[in-house]
Amino acid sequence: MESLAKLAKSSGSSGSTGSKQPLSVGFNQDKSLITVGGSRGFRIYRCNPFKKCFQAAHGSIKIVEMLFSTSLVALVGAGKQPAFSPRRIRLYNTTTNEFFCELDFATTVLNVKMNSKRLVAVLENKIHIFDLKKSLHILHTLRTPSNPKGVIALSSNVKNGFMALPGHESKGEILVYDVINLQVQSSINACNNPIQKLSMNNEGTLLAAASTQGTVIRVFSIPGGTKLYTFRRGSYPVTIHSIAFSFNSTHIAVSSSSRTIHIFGLSSESKKRPKLKSKASASSSSSSSSAAAAVVSSASSSAASASSAIASYLPNLLSDIVEPGRHFAFVNLKDSSDHTVVGFGQNNKKKKKKKKKK
């Protein structure tokens, strides 16, 4: 919660690169750094302790993508006075303060993602995959359905080097692609409406998805695509700004155009919802009250098991009604900017070892 509060304050402040509203705000892969693109360049902030650690003025920048905490940054220009064409990715070294590589494309670059082996450039109808280890040699070009928002998620763990992207422009289909071995892994029928936001955990084993309705967040295992969790964010359609997994994949946070942050727990209880286990059914039936409690609990458990079984055969819309999951924490950002990005920081505090008494 502390790191979320710090980010909310920073994204809503006027300390962006030369303008009251930044063109982009994001995190690096391990959420230790914040990147801000503005009309006069870009800045990098350290999260803990929160402070500015780099600044460069190169004209208007709309995309700033870092590679963990290294000196490598991928930049894309935009705005009234772009630093360079929005159809070009320029790689920048923050140590030498120099550009060292350029990648040109036929159409506008909508998104850029990196891990230690791959750079992925997202265009509206194509995704280009480059090898970061071999002078940015292009490995594959993937033709995609129309993706005007550049929606994509890329695993930062190269051992599970999966990429998720919308598989259909009018349906909630998700394509899972292996960017290391360059092959399709699975296709997930996630929901009825088109996908508007995707996010992966650090290990590349979980995928969170939100449709254009923005009312329900679904979490799937990847690459198989089994639905593990369904969470209801709200009742009214919203634009989902960001979804973030905690470092140990026990929580997810969701920010939206309603200027709220919802935090959900990825526990075994929420995964098995709505199945209920009764303590009363295992207790002694020596008294009539405990026996009655056991009967009521058994009936509830049977009904819950039945609803869970029925949900597996129902469409996504009805399944989400049968299997509701609510947030356990909620943040209202009254004074925040129109776009809020969330992330969980790592707990770097080491536990003190207790000395054994002799």
Side-chain angles (χ1 to χ4, degrees):
M1 289 299 295
E2 183 180 356
S3 60
L4 290 173
K6 288 179 180 179
L7 179 58
K9 291 178 181 179
S10 66
S11 62
S13 66
S14 60
S16 60
T17 51
S19 63
K20 293 184 179 180
Q21 290 294 336
L23 296 177
S24 68
V25 177
F27 285 99
N28 66 339
Q29 288 84 350
D30 60 11
K31 306 300 187 295
S32 61
L33 298 170
I34 298 174
T35 60
V36 180
S39 62
R40 297 180 184 177
F42 71 99
R43 295 183 181 183
I44 300 174
Y45 295 85
R46 189 170 302 281
C47 292
N48 190 19
F50 186 78
K51 65 176 181 179
K52 184 175 68 177
C53 55
F54 184 82
Q55 178 178 356
H58 293 290
S60 184
I61 301 291
K62 74 167 183 179
I63 295 178
V64 184
E65 175 73 4
M66 294 191 67
L67 180 61
F68 293 95
S69 299
T70 68
S71 59
L72 176 60
V73 182
L75 303 173
V76 178
K80 295 180 179 180
Q81 296 180 334
F84 41 88
S85 170
R87 299 192 299 270
R88 177 181 299 165
I89 297 175
R90 300 187 74 182
L91 299 185
Y92 187 82
N93 189 323
T94 57
T95 301
T96 61
N97 293 327
E98 292 178 344
F99 291 101
F100 64 91
C101 184
E102 294 184 355
L103 302 172
D104 292 315
F105 304 91
T107 59
T108 301
V109 179
L110 302 175
N111 205 345
V112 180
K113 294 295 181 184
M114 291 191 291
N115 59 31
S116 60
K117 288 188 176 182
R118 298 288 184 263
L119 182 147
V120 176
V122 184
L123 313 183
E124 183 172 351
N125 295 105
K126 291 181 181 179
I127 291 179
H128 299 281
I129 302 172
F130 296 86
D131 191 347
L132 274 181
K133 295 293 184 180
K134 295 182 180 180
S135 302
L136 286 171
H137 173 70
I138 186 167
L139 298 172
H140 186 64
T141 297
L142 186 66
R143 294 186 178 274
T144 68
S146 180
N147 186 12
K149 298 294 185 181
V151 178
I152 190 179
L154 178 67
S155 171
S156 58
N157 179 11
V158 295
K159 292 182 179 180
N160 296 317
F162 304 123
M163 172 180 67
L165 63 145
H168 201 283
E169 55 187 283
S170 60
K171 298 179 181 178
E173 182 181 339
I174 302 172
L175 182 68
V176 179
Y177 188 84
D178 186 344
V179 298
I180 304 299
N181 299 304
L182 304 177
Q183 59 186 12
V184 175
Q185 291 294 308
S186 62
S187 179
I188 305 172
N189 184 18
C191 51
N192 297 322
N193 296 298
I195 301 296
Q196 71 159 315
K197 185 63 65 175
L198 295 168
S199 179
M200 285 190 192
N201 66 340
N202 292 317
E203 292 81 10
T205 57
L206 296 177
L207 172 68
S211 74
T212 50
Q213 289 294 308
T215 55
V216 175
I217 309 298
R218 300 173 178 88
V219 180
F220 303 87
S221 65
I222 53 173
T226 302
K227 185 171 70 173
L228 302 177
Y229 308 92
T230 301
F231 300 111
R232 179 159 294 278
R233 189 215 56 82
S235 302
Y236 300 98
V238 296
T239 299
I240 301 297
H241 291 163
S242 67
I243 304 174
F245 285 86
S246 62
F247 188 75
N248 56 2
S249 300
T250 57
H251 301 85
I252 60 171
V254 181
S255 65
S256 67
S257 57
S258 62
R259 296 187 178 184
T260 57
I261 295 175
H262 296 258
I263 304 174
F264 304 93
L266 303 182
S267 64
S268 57
E269 292 181 2
S270 59
K271 181 176 179 180
K272 295 179 180 179
R273 189 185 307 271
K275 294 181 180 179
L276 303 174
K277 290 186 178 181
S278 170
K279 294 181 180 179
S281 60
S283 62
S284 173
S285 57
S286 57
S287 64
S288 59
S289 59
S290 60
V295 172
V296 173
S297 179
S298 178
S300 300
S301 181
S302 299
S305 300
S307 65
S308 180
I310 292 171
S312 63
Y313 295 98
L314 294 177
N316 285 320
L317 178 61
L318 297 180
S319 177
D320 294 337
I321 296 175
V322 175
E323 300 180 89
R326 295 287 180 174
H327 62 261
F328 75 88
F330 174 84
V331 181
N332 192 350
L333 304 174
K334 294 182 179 180
D335 300 325
S336 71
S337 63
D338 293 334
H339 191 96
T340 303
V341 182
V342 295
F344 289 89
Q346 299 182 40
N347 186 5
N348 296 322
K349 295 180 180 179
K350 295 181 179 180
K351 296 181 179 180
K352 296 181 179 179
K353 294 182 179 180
K354 294 182 179 180
K355 294 182 178 179
K356 295 182 179 180
K357 294 181 179 179
K358 294 181 179 181

